[in-house]
Amino acid sequence: MSNRLAGSLSPYLLQHAHNPVDWYPWGGEALAKARAEDRPIFLSIGYSACHWCHVMERESFEHPEVAEVLNAHFVPIKVDREERPDLDDLYMDAVQALTGHGGWPMSVWLTPDLRPFYGGTYFPRESRGGMPGFVPLLRRIAELWQTQRQDLETQARALSDELRRQAEVQAGGALPGREVVEAALAQLRHGFDPRWGGFGPAPKFPQQMAVDLILARGSEADRAMALRTLDAMWEGGMFDHLGGGFARYSVDGQWLVPHFEKMLYDNAQLAACYLAAFQATGEARYARVARETLDYLLRDLRDPEGGFHASEDADSEGEEGQFYVFTPAEVREALGEAAGARFCAAYGITGGGNFEHGRSVVHRFSCPEGAELAPGEDADLRERLRIWRDRRVRPGKDDKVLAAWNGLALSALARGFQALGDPRYLAGAEACAAFLHRALWQEGRLLRVARGGEAHTPAFLEDYGAVAEGLVDLFEAGGDPAWLHWAGRLGEALLARFHDAAEGGFFSTEAGQADLLFRQKPGFDNALPSGNTLAARALLRLSRHLEREDFRAAAEGTLRCFGPWMQRAPRAFLGLLGVLDQAQREPLEIVVSGDLTLPATRALLAEVHRRFLPGRLVSVSADSALPLHRGRRAPEGSAVVTVCRGRACSAPVSEPGALGRLLD
């Protein structure tokens, strides 16, 4: 028998649609029931690819005793954190304040007026290993609601007031100086693992924004840290050596055993990181990793309509990593005895294994000298084993399309076309942008979620910011001014709907949301850049393309707003520090006037894109009406480039060699 989640579009909510728990989706019906019956809310927040969410469902939410207690004493509500990041951020802050840590599944108990009074993450059904059991905890909270309710409500008011106080951002005065970026770099040096790369102990996360900042602003010694980290992530098991793309993080300190879920936002950002490393070093291995990651997006995450799906699960057939790990016998079955033995030696697949049940995660760390495969054979055997692996039961996929994450994918594909020259990446980016415009841009407003021909949920700050920047990257790659004009409209919407004109910065939500305790102003950069980072980065770039002073002022106002916070904890703002670095640089504008289909135009752009030029602006178009192209029309059948640094511009050039000398 199904519950109220059966009508949801969210794959995560649908996973719980047949639980005996009388789940409600977040919305008016559930919140009205809590108020009318004066019951506390049990709020469970997770996402489709979350391994421990699956565990808690099997242990607890499918169990009749748990359902009986939840249904009798609470209004149980399920939320997909990827659909409602505003709720996830707010109540995650509450859980961290209550427990000192956070994670998913998130479990929070609320008063009927939505104030949190108790919370945690995963709970086993019965007490074990020092963790309170979910059933006894539910019974105890239900008892306290009846016998000590005033104490719980006092605690809820105090916690909500403290969360509101912590969320207030007192704006700084001047734009932060370069010393803040230097302080962040110093913290990264201190936390760097010189043996295995990465910043900090296990579990190790990719930290794409750290790598980006180091490549853009760090010394040669700093750059070695970034490259060591990129090499270690690629060589280890976090990278899928057969199918491309990266898992979410490594559970150990040497990047060997991953947590196997694959997220669109990680892979989009990591592809861009490896592209930047390729441009900065010219090393072919970084181009290869970027290419295989982008190919993974196009092959395994692309929706038939053009957008990109959110994630692939860690689990298949009820086991984490089942799809990805091998025994030597399986490799020999797929590749034959001799080739299978060579592959096992090169990729660390042994009889003893390095994972559960004697199976091995595919990796390159333990490849002995002389066991490396020749490039041609390496590519051939990896492809053959990938095809063999595809006969297995694939991990579940969360096939919803999220605006913000697709904005990151737009950027990655557009930059992939620029750096690698593969037209498939430009075509993929254009198809994605067309889908977002068709499905999620409705009557001048952006929606966040699309799935199965339906779209819903008003977009958040991060959606507007990420899509706007993705469109800027697409314009810089393909030269179609329509994408730049749409990005400009998104920038205007950022100012109209999210901007705090008094204090600077941006709220994550529009005003007037009745189901939210208060509006937050997100600044910390985590796995994704914060909404303020995305908005400021997009607006700063748009201000230069469109010569919009209001966009520039809002971007710099965001940096001033978070300036005191960046000075106190620079490593928590690595993405926003990247925006600060761009704002502090003397602008480098490369204006290519000419038709992108012409060989002359493409040759000039190739000269630009083979270089690592942090913060550079590239405008390529035959449209002389664009602000940067006024008065710069190229003669018919040719292309010209003007390079401007600050307020000084070069004479136009039309030869790649002359352009290269200017850029050097």
Side-chain angles (χ1 to χ4, degrees):
M1 181 178 177
S2 58
N3 54 47
R4 290 172 179 81
L5 302 184
S8 173
L9 289 177
S10 161
Y12 173 65
L13 268 57
L14 290 172
Q15 289 170 1
H16 296 77
H18 298 285
N19 295 164
V21 176
D22 188 18
W23 290 114
Y24 286 77
W26 183 275
E29 182 184 7
L31 304 185
K33 178 180 174 68
R35 290 190 298 268
E37 299 181 8
D38 203 25
R39 284 200 206 182
I41 292 167
F42 170 66
L43 175 62
S44 178
I45 300 181
Y47 59 102
S48 176
C50 167
H51 170 71
W52 286 102
C53 299
H54 302 329
V55 173
M56 193 166 177
E57 182 196 10
R58 290 193 298 267
E59 287 183 349
S60 293
F61 300 141
E62 292 181 352
H63 198 275
E65 183 184 15
V66 171
E68 180 183 357
V69 180
L70 272 174
N71 296 343
H73 299 288
F74 303 92
V75 177
I77 300 178
K78 264 285 173 196
V79 165
D80 183 335
R81 67 174 294 260
E82 296 167 354
E83 290 188 346
R84 290 295 303 266
D86 55 335
L87 296 174
D88 182 60
D89 288 346
L90 174 61
Y91 292 114
M92 182 62 76
D93 287 348
V95 168
Q96 289 176 327
L98 288 164
T99 69
H101 64 274
W104 299 276
M106 192 196 326
S107 305
V108 198
W109 285 262
L110 317 177
T111 63
D113 61 359
L114 308 184
R115 299 176 191 269
F117 62 87
Y118 190 78
T121 54
Y122 161 79
F123 293 100
R125 189 171 71 249
E126 302 295 342
S127 302
R128 70 167 186 261
M131 290 188 289
F134 193 52
V135 171
L137 181 61
L138 287 172
R139 295 189 188 281
R140 178 62 176 155
I141 292 174
E143 177 188 351
L144 291 173
W145 186 257
Q146 296 300 320
T147 62
Q148 299 181 40
R149 175 167 175 177
Q150 185 172 353
D151 292 343
L152 294 183
E153 291 194 330
T154 298
Q155 179 176 325
R157 283 193 296 273
L159 177 58
S160 298
D161 290 345
E162 177 61 16
L163 292 174
R164 188 188 298 270
R165 185 193 67 78
Q166 291 180 4
E168 292 175 354
V169 181
Q170 300 298 325
L175 206 64
R178 292 183 186 274
E179 69 277 359
V180 185
V181 175
E182 291 303 321
L185 292 172
Q187 289 185 345
L188 291 171
R189 292 179 201 119
H190 180 74
F192 178 65
D193 179 349
R195 181 177 182 188
W196 296 109
F199 304 92
K204 279 187 175 172
F205 290 80
Q207 298 200 33
Q208 301 94 323
M209 284 168 272
V211 173
D212 285 339
L213 186 65
I214 289 170
L215 290 177
R217 180 52 68 187
S219 65
E220 284 301 314
D222 295 333
R223 182 172 289 190
M225 295 192 306
L227 299 180
R228 173 64 185 131
T229 299
L230 293 178
D231 286 338
M233 287 195 298
W234 166 58
E235 291 172 343
M238 212 177 79
F239 182 68
D240 181 356
H241 293 274
L242 305 185
F246 287 84
R248 179 72 192 89
Y249 62 88
S250 172
V251 301
D252 55 70
Q254 66 184 67
W255 307 103
L256 177 58
V257 177
H259 185 47
F260 291 90
E261 67 194 38
K262 284 177 162 181
M263 314 301 294
L264 174 60
Y265 60 79
D266 280 322
N267 282 287
Q269 292 179 92
L270 281 166
C273 263
Y274 281 90
L275 289 166
F278 170 58
Q279 290 173 315
T281 67
E283 294 287 346
R285 66 184 180 278
Y286 299 128
R288 168 184 159 180
V289 178
R291 185 178 292 109
E292 292 182 8
T293 303
L294 294 173
D295 288 350
Y296 162 70
L297 299 187
L298 292 175
R299 184 187 63 243
D300 292 337
L301 288 187
R302 182 158 53 171
D303 187 90
E305 296 296 316
F308 289 89
H309 297 155
S311 63
E312 287 194 295
D313 210 323
D315 299 5
S316 55
E317 302 180 87
E319 288 194 43
E320 184 180 8
Q322 173 80 3
F323 181 74
Y324 295 101
V325 295
F326 289 89
T327 63
E330 290 171 328
V331 176
R332 290 194 300 269
E333 178 187 340
L335 302 178
E337 287 292 330
R342 291 196 299 276
F343 188 91
C344 288
Y347 283 94
I349 300 170
T350 64
N354 54 39
F355 191 60
E356 299 166 355
H357 312 302
R359 297 171 296 176
S360 293
V361 176
V362 180
H363 70 100
R364 297 170 57 89
F365 281 141
S366 59
C367 179
E369 189 173 349
E372 301 95 341
L373 299 170
E377 183 181 29
D378 180 84
D380 175 63
L381 294 184
R382 287 189 299 120
E383 178 65 5
R384 285 169 57 191
L385 191 56
R386 181 190 70 81
I387 292 170
W388 186 90
R389 187 182 72 176
D390 280 348
R391 293 164 20 195
R392 293 174 169 176
V393 176
R394 285 195 74 90
K397 181 189 285 188
D398 188 326
D399 61 354
K400 65 178 179 287
V401 175
L402 297 169
W405 300 9
N406 273 254
L408 297 174
L410 263 181
S411 288
L413 287 162
R415 295 178 194 182
F417 170 70
Q418 290 178 331
L420 304 176
D422 191 328
R424 294 180 304 130
Y425 302 145
L426 179 60
E430 289 172 337
C432 178
F435 172 78
L436 296 176
H437 191 272
R438 182 172 66 250
L440 294 180
W441 182 245
Q442 298 184 6
E443 299 178 355
R445 287 184 178 268
L446 191 64
L447 298 178
R448 178 170 175 83
V449 187
R451 182 172 184 263
E454 297 185 50
H456 64 91
T457 305
F460 301 97
L461 173 66
E462 66 179 39
D463 298 300
Y464 280 88
V467 174
E469 184 173 36
L471 293 169
V472 173
D473 280 314
L474 180 53
F475 167 70
E476 291 194 354
D480 185 344
W483 302 126
L484 185 63
H485 293 317
W486 185 26
R489 291 195 290 275
L490 291 170
E492 290 167 351
L494 279 169
L495 295 186
R497 295 172 188 153
F498 302 94
H499 191 220
D500 183 349
E503 297 291 332
F506 294 83
F507 295 105
S508 61
T509 56
E510 296 189 41
Q513 244 181 263
D515 63 351
L516 204 60
L517 278 177
F518 55 86
R519 297 169 86 189
Q520 291 184 295
K521 193 182 283 188
F524 293 117
D525 295 306
N526 293 303
L528 279 84
S530 73
N532 272 280
T533 294
L534 290 165
R537 203 161 66 193
L539 288 171
L540 185 63
R541 295 179 67 188
L542 280 169
S543 73
R544 295 170 177 173
H545 272 290
L546 298 176
E547 296 182 346
R548 291 284 298 261
E549 176 61 22
D550 54 343
F551 287 175
R552 185 200 61 78
E556 293 189 358
T558 302
L559 296 170
R560 290 190 182 91
C561 175
F562 287 98
W565 287 35
M566 287 191 278
Q567 289 167 342
R568 288 195 296 269
R571 194 170 160 181
F573 294 88
L574 295 175
L576 200 57
L577 288 173
V579 184
L580 177 63
D581 177 52
Q582 289 187 31
Q584 291 170 335
R585 288 177 183 269
E586 192 174 40
L588 174 63
E589 297 176 354
I590 304 164
V591 182
V592 184
S593 297
D595 187 337
L596 189 59
T597 63
L598 295 173
T601 309
R602 294 198 299 270
L604 290 167
L605 286 170
E607 192 67 28
V608 175
H609 296 320
R610 70 182 182 85
R611 287 171 165 79
F612 182 59
L613 301 168
R616 97 290 186 261
L617 176 153
V618 177
S619 185
V620 51
S621 181
D623 184 354
S624 58
L626 289 174
L628 297 182
H629 291 262
R630 293 187 189 118
R632 291 175 173 166
R633 181 183 292 275
E636 189 71 27
S638 66
V640 295
V641 183
T642 305
V643 177
C644 301
R645 182 174 287 281
R647 298 179 182 277
C649 295
S650 70
V653 298
S654 56
E655 294 296 327
L659 173 59
R661 288 188 290 276
L662 283 174
L663 297 176
D664 289 339

